[in-house]
Amino acid sequence: MIVVMKPNSTQENIDNIVKTIHSLGLEAHLSKGQEVTLIGIVGDKEKFIQKNPQIMPGVERVITVSESYKLSNKKFHPEPTVVDVRGVKIGGDNFVIMAGPCAVESKEQLLESALAAKAGGAQILRGGAYKPRTSPYSFQGLEENGLKYMAEVRDITGMPVISEVTSLKAIDAAKEYVDILQIGARNMQNFELLKAAGKSGLPVLLKRGLSATIDEWLNAAEYIMSEGNPNVILCERGIRTYETSTRNTLDISAVPVLRAKSHLPIIVDPSHATGVRDYVAPLCKAAAAVGADGLMVEVHPNPACALSDGPQSLNPEDFKTVCDELRPFITLAGRKFE
Ligand code: PEP
Ligand code: MN
């Protein structure tokens, strides 16, 4: 439920409503726009309705939000959320590229990848330390040592770092070393993990589940946000369809759909969506053109020797070319890319 305040409502009117909401044991979420202030209410709305909010001083109208996700809902928060990670802004007018290897393999490999990512224009370094591999016999990641390398390479390059967490133990470790927690597609509905990520105090990039609908995805975001963490970034990484030419099918329409439903920043990952290096560049351009807030791209100094996802990883030269070709699309979309 949302209370829309009159443009001329006073701070006292707003405080009075927030006080009433709190006195009923409900949560109030304020969204102050240029002209109007909205107060979103989370909890049993019936209690609030009994107080006749429509006649409270300063109230213009009261709207019921039918969707089960509230905090991630654009109706609650019409302005786009901008997540600030060590000065790199994700969302709003900005375009951000997160790039790096699928898995952290060694400090040297990570540093080489980071320098390649930075040379292309990426602002954030990605790298997996806990790898959710399909086969238990595949490389599972360097775990905490991988996280340590992420922090060391951040200190050398100045790039904020993002890494996937697959367990509560991994969240505890990652909090010491990384700037953004990534929840992978396979864990999108691991609700205990989502709640713990919500409590971590770090921004969270939430990938779309392999077979998740957009509403299920926004409800997963709600699990993180309802723990008091507003800094959630959504990442479309392809969904399961009957098509086998690509690893997954990039749902490019998810970008405008999310834009209509939510205020959270939207990142597109063409590497995991396609699984094929040659298809990454065109889909980076498509993502920029359709209005995504940024990209996640896998880059490896020598993809042929990568311990995971080599076939979809770009080498440093190809990554640079993609970024150069991408710039006009970012500009046309009206975004800043620094
Ligand atoms: C990844 O980004 O390393 C990854 C495993 O991606 P996804 O969860 O989208 O499969
Ligand atoms: Mn990967």
Side-chain angles (χ1 to χ4, degrees):
M1 157 160 279
I2 298 167
V3 176
V4 183
M5 301 302 290
K6 287 183 178 150
N8 62 356
S9 61
T10 63
Q11 189 59 45
E12 198 190 339
N13 297 153
I14 295 169
D15 291 345
N16 182 39
I17 289 166
V18 170
K19 226 167 84 192
T20 310
I21 295 168
H22 287 162
S23 72
L24 297 168
L26 310 174
E27 270 179 49
H29 293 266
L30 233 66
S31 174
K32 285 197 175 189
Q34 302 271 45
E35 310 242 306
V36 266
T37 296
L38 305 182
I39 307 172
I41 301 158
V42 181
D44 180 2
K45 63 178 189 292
E46 294 308 321
K47 289 191 202 165
F48 187 64
I49 291 171
Q50 281 165 14
K51 298 276 175 191
N52 287 324
Q54 59 284 358
I55 57 164
M56 287 180 182
V59 172
E60 175 135 320
R61 66 200 139 100
V62 178
I63 307 170
T64 305
V65 178
S66 50
E67 293 87 1
S68 52
Y69 51 92
K70 314 285 179 192
L71 303 173
S72 56
N73 201 313
K74 197 171 178 171
K75 290 177 191 156
F76 251 59
H77 189 292
E79 306 291 322
T81 281
V82 179
V83 179
D84 189 319
V85 185
R86 292 180 179 258
V88 176
K89 295 192 170 52
I90 307 168
D93 298 338
N94 309 289
F95 194 87
V96 168
I97 302 182
M98 307 177 182
C102 179
V104 179
E105 298 169 10
S106 67
K107 185 170 168 189
E108 294 67 36
Q109 170 256 12
L110 184 64
L111 179 58
E112 246 188 282
S113 309
L115 294 174
K118 196 170 176 173
Q123 302 97 321
I124 295 177
L125 174 65
R126 65 145 284 146
Y130 299 88
K131 295 306 305 174
R133 305 304 299 281
T134 300
S135 162
Y137 309 119
S138 302
F139 176 59
Q140 302 285 309
L142 298 182
E143 304 191 342
E144 192 159 348
N145 277 334
L147 296 175
K148 280 187 192 148
Y149 297 149
M150 293 291 291
E152 287 171 16
V153 171
R154 172 186 59 211
D155 293 345
I156 299 170
T157 60
M159 298 170 88
V161 294
I162 173 169
S163 199
E164 178 169 356
V165 285
T166 50
S167 65
L168 302 184
K169 199 170 137 234
I171 292 185
D172 277 341
K175 278 196 292 198
E176 303 292 318
Y177 304 106
V178 308
D179 305 300
I180 309 174
L181 299 179
Q182 176 173 321
I183 303 277
R186 290 155 193 81
N187 276 310
M188 190 205 83
Q189 283 187 316
N190 181 339
F191 300 118
E192 292 309 312
L193 197 66
L194 298 175
K195 286 192 261 180
K199 290 193 184 95
S200 70
L202 287 176
V204 180
L205 179 133
L206 177 65
K207 288 197 155 195
R208 182 178 186 177
L210 278 73
S211 307
T213 65
I214 288 176
D215 278 17
E216 286 164 344
W217 189 9
L218 290 171
N219 273 294
E222 195 77 10
Y223 267 91
I224 301 169
M225 299 178 81
S226 62
E227 296 295 336
N229 189 343
N231 296 316
V232 176
I233 303 153
L234 302 168
C235 178
E236 163 61 41
R237 46 78 71 205
I239 48 175
R240 276 283 162 90
T241 68
Y242 49 80
E243 182 53 66
T244 53
S245 317
T246 48
R247 186 175 171 182
N248 294 288
T249 297
L250 180 64
D251 181 9
I252 199 79
S253 62
V255 178
V257 173
L258 287 171
R259 194 66 77 208
K261 289 175 176 261
S262 180
H263 53 89
L264 296 173
I266 309 159
I267 299 291
V268 171
D269 172 352
S271 305
H272 290 92
T274 61
V276 181
R277 180 177 308 124
D278 288 352
Y279 305 149
V280 171
L283 292 175
C284 283
K285 294 171 192 165
V290 82
D293 297 303
L295 294 164
M296 175 173 270
V297 180
E298 285 188 338
V299 177
H300 192 284
N302 184 0
C305 299
L307 295 182
S308 74
D309 286 350
Q312 70 197 32
S313 300
L314 302 181
N315 67 30
E317 299 85 78
D318 289 346
F319 179 65
K320 176 89 174 61
T321 308
V322 172
C323 290
D324 291 345
E325 288 178 8
L326 192 59
R327 280 174 196 273
F329 290 84
I330 299 172
T331 310
L332 269 175
R335 301 302 180 110
K336 287 184 282 188
F337 179 55
E338 279 134 19

